[in-house]
Amino acid sequence: IRSKEFKKRRDFVVKSLNKIKGIKCLIPNGAFYVFPSCKDLLNKKTKLKKDADFVQKLLEKANVAVVQGSAFGLEGYFRISYATSMNNLKKAMERIKSFCESLS
């Protein structure tokens, strides 16, 4: 039952992230997190240069805590866990979407 619930959460997070302009996310093969790319949002227009900038602004402006991918050798990505409630994930996805939309 638990693995079904985590698969449901994972699929929701991946699908939600892929609907956000500037974010690309592949389906992971394990673990409880995904590594979406935010490379398309790192430019002069958004004033974000690195994934660390994206992560910091996401926390400051949208109250969503994620980890920069560069901490894992993946510059231009961020890591988000889906090992939380579906309610929390829905809130986080809405906040990430609003934050990314505010950048353009």
Side-chain angles (χ1 to χ4, degrees):
I1 296 172
R2 283 203 71 126
S3 64
K4 276 187 181 179
E5 188 58 36
F6 278 118
K7 183 181 182 304
K8 182 179 164 186
R9 292 176 194 173
R10 180 202 67 195
D11 293 347
F12 168 76
V13 168
V14 170
K15 187 177 177 182
S16 298
L17 289 168
N18 281 322
K19 287 181 182 176
I20 300 171
K21 188 177 179 187
I23 302 288
K24 294 181 185 125
C25 187
L26 298 174
I27 297 173
N29 284 327
F32 301 105
Y33 46 82
V34 295
F35 274 103
S37 169
C38 58
K39 288 180 183 180
D40 290 348
L41 298 172
L42 306 177
N43 55 53
K44 287 180 184 171
K45 187 178 175 188
T46 64
K47 298 183 180 125
L48 302 174
K49 294 178 180 158
K50 298 179 178 181
D51 53 7
D53 301 331
F54 176 86
V55 166
Q56 184 174 349
K57 289 293 179 195
L58 182 63
L59 180 59
E60 289 172 6
K61 306 281 186 195
N63 287 328
V64 177
V66 297
V67 181
Q68 69 258 30
S70 54
F72 304 93
L74 288 169
E75 183 70 46
Y77 291 77
F78 62 98
R79 185 175 98 161
I80 184 167
S81 172
Y82 54 87
T84 186
S85 70
M86 188 59 103
N87 191 41
N88 284 342
L89 291 172
K90 286 177 181 175
K91 281 187 220 169
M93 294 303 109
E94 288 170 20
R95 290 177 182 180
I96 294 171
K97 183 176 191 287
S98 295
F99 170 74
C100 292
E101 288 172 351
S102 77
L103 295 172
S104 52

